[in-house]
Amino acid sequence: MLGVPSLNDVAALVASIVVCTIGRPDMLRACLASLSDLDHESYEVLVVDNTMGDTRSEELAREAGARYLNVRSPGLSKARNAGARAATGELVAFIDDDAVADPGWLARHEDAFIDSTVAVTTGRVIPMDTESLSLRTATEDLGASAFRLDRRDPHWFERANFGGVGIGANMVFRRSLFESGWGFSPQLGLGSAIPGGEENHAFFTLLRDGHAIVYVPDAKVWHAGRDSASVSQRREQQRFEAGVSYMWMLLREEPSFRLRTLRYMAGAAAGRRRPWRDDGGPALQTPLVSRVRALAAGTLGYAWRSASRRRTSG
């Protein structure tokens, strides 16, 4: 189990908020404006620019009183790790550049860390508009009921790896985790070999090592919607493909959990609904033909990635 210090004085905690961005200044401006209005007295903001350098993002960071960090090597996981390493707060909070935070967002997260066994908190991610609400995926909004997850839960492995814990637009970690050498896997996430799954893998490894994760529905952010149903379907297809590649990675790299991964894959292929899914609203459905295409593309993508890694290491 990774070392986690006890927190004796929650009021004295300092939090660092990491906003990873990639050439979306209008969205970044709205995000930073929401962070300036938080009901919290002790936090800093870091803007991590994952491009070759974006003058506008740097200017927006400076105008908002945030620290600016340019990480040119592509990959969301690399950007998040760099932001966490540069952070000075005891807690490292992540929010997407296309999301805006509720004024009480950070304070509600902070409250949960009184429990020293809690390594991570996640919060509620709400679509910004009614069209997005009708097109959301089942993993984006986990609903209004709080929960705590650790290895005592019979579904902890499935929930962590396949969308039952939270998403990267709203999550907070203890900085001591990153100081111990832990971090997001650079082979996962947008801009990497498998364009997704980085927060799922993070949740999995921490739960596996004995930590707990708390979902805090009152820690709310509003997330930008999609332009149309067709765009939503394409993005869902891409997520499905990344998910397939991620499952193959688990099969190969986590042999102790191979049977559980295979069981989940069989259930996913059959369209089985998971007991922890929120039934509070409609979810975007992926047609069978799209699932078949994603299965083939994700499998081939992982095979190509594995072959590339072998060539590089050889």
Side-chain angles (χ1 to χ4, degrees), residues 34-89:
S34 75
L35 298 180
S36 69
D37 291 332
L38 293 179
D39 296 333
H40 199 287
E41 295 181 353
S42 184
Y43 67 97
E44 64 174 353
V45 179
L46 294 84
V47 173
V48 183
D49 179 7
N50 198 204
T51 70
M52 294 303 292
D54 181 6
T55 301
R56 188 61 186 131
S57 294
E58 185 174 6
E59 291 174 351
L60 288 171
R62 184 175 63 252
E63 291 168 3
R67 294 164 59 193
Y68 173 83
L69 181 63
N70 185 207
V71 177
R72 297 189 174 190
S73 180
L76 180 54
S77 288
K78 294 178 182 178
R80 285 176 173 160
N81 287 336
R85 287 194 297 269
T88 61

Side-chain angles (χ1 to χ4, degrees), residues 205-218:
T205 57
L206 292 172
L207 288 167
R208 180 196 62 196
D209 292 343
H211 296 298
I213 299 174
V214 171
Y215 172 67
V216 186
D218 289 338

